[in-house]
Amino acid sequence: MYIIAGLGNPGKQYEHTRHNTGFDAIDCLAGKYGISFDMKKFRGLCGTGAIEGQKVLLLKPQTYMNLSGESIREACAFYKIDPEEELIVMYDDISLAPGQLRIRKKGSAGGHNGIKNIIAQLGTQVFKRIKIGVGEKPAEYDLVDYVLGHFSKEDRVGMEEAFEDAARAAAMLVYEEPDVVMNRFNVKKA
């Protein structure tokens, strides 16, 4: 079984903000595979289903971004999964251009508080991740205001494509070796 988590903040005011790209991408994945977020468990919204014959739990932690690891740890413990093999996390990354994806098998938090909390809760930096670029913060912006802000109309169009790509990448990570997925999706967008 795989747990695929999309990171974000609960509440209407955060919908479709840069920081909620993980929620947007996992919603896209859920739509593709007919999975409903019909359970409240592990301090998150979740749904179960199958991707290419493999059982999955899709999870949207409702703990707010900075405590995402608490929800993910509870789900991993309940299902007795090995996060190093069977966890995939989708989230925003300000070091990538809007819509750019970067798939990784492991790594540091890179300043992302949600990932920092997941690493602390799981006790490992080794888990698959799909970083979704939201663009670099302009010099005059406060980081919190930037990530909690919305995309321009023009960037939003490109982001919809990125959510589709992130959903495809997450599905592939369930049945394909990570290196194959990385080679497919870690390409610079023109």
Side-chain angles (χ1 to χ4, degrees):
M1 174 174 202
Y2 278 81
I3 293 175
I4 304 174
L7 304 189
N9 285 313
K12 272 267 190 245
Q13 70 271 35
Y14 299 113
E15 278 183 10
H16 308 302
T17 59
R18 291 179 184 90
H19 225 20
N20 275 34
T21 58
F23 279 6
D24 289 334
I26 205 161
D27 285 342
C28 185
L29 180 65
K32 280 186 179 319
Y33 289 93
I35 299 171
S36 300
F37 290 97
D38 54 4
M39 295 185 295
K40 285 186 176 182
K41 252 180 134 172
F42 318 116
R43 291 190 278 165
L45 297 175
C46 49
T48 57
I51 293 177
E52 307 303 326
Q54 177 68 248
K55 191 169 182 185
V56 297
L57 174 84
L58 302 187
L59 175 64
K60 295 197 288 191
Q62 300 294 290
T63 51
Y64 289 91
M65 180 65 81
N66 294 355
L67 298 177
S68 298
E70 295 178 5
S71 173
I72 291 171
R73 179 185 42 76
E74 287 177 25
C76 289
F78 181 85
Y79 287 106
K80 297 178 175 54
I81 72 141
D82 177 359
E84 295 189 2
E85 295 295 325
E86 301 158 312
L87 174 65
I88 301 165
V89 180
M90 299 193 280
Y91 62 99
D92 61 298
D93 190 319
I94 62 168
S95 65
L96 297 171
Q100 180 76 45
L101 296 186
R102 182 76 67 241
I103 317 305
R104 291 281 184 255
K105 295 185 271 191
K106 62 183 179 179
S108 71
H112 194 288
N113 289 331
I115 297 300
K116 199 178 294 179
N117 186 254
I118 294 169
I119 291 168
Q121 291 290 322
L122 297 179
T124 183
Q125 292 187 9
V126 181
F127 54 88
K128 297 174 195 84
R129 18 179 120 206
I130 300 171
K131 302 177 183 190
I132 305 164
V134 297
E136 198 173 334
K137 171 190 82 69
E140 69 276 7
Y141 276 67
D142 172 70
L143 180 60
V144 171
D145 290 341
Y146 181 71
V147 296
L148 295 180
H150 291 85
F151 294 99
S152 68
K153 279 193 170 99
E154 152 188 320
D155 280 347
R156 186 71 201 182
V157 172
M159 291 308 296
E160 293 298 331
E161 190 180 309
F163 302 145
E164 293 279 334
D165 287 344
R168 277 194 290 278
M172 276 184 79
L173 283 168
V174 166
Y175 63 87
E176 193 65 79
E177 285 300 314
D179 289 337
V180 173
V181 183
M182 290 163 67
N183 287 335
R184 166 96 193 277
F185 290 98
N186 289 358
V187 293
K188 278 264 193 239
K189 293 208 173 204

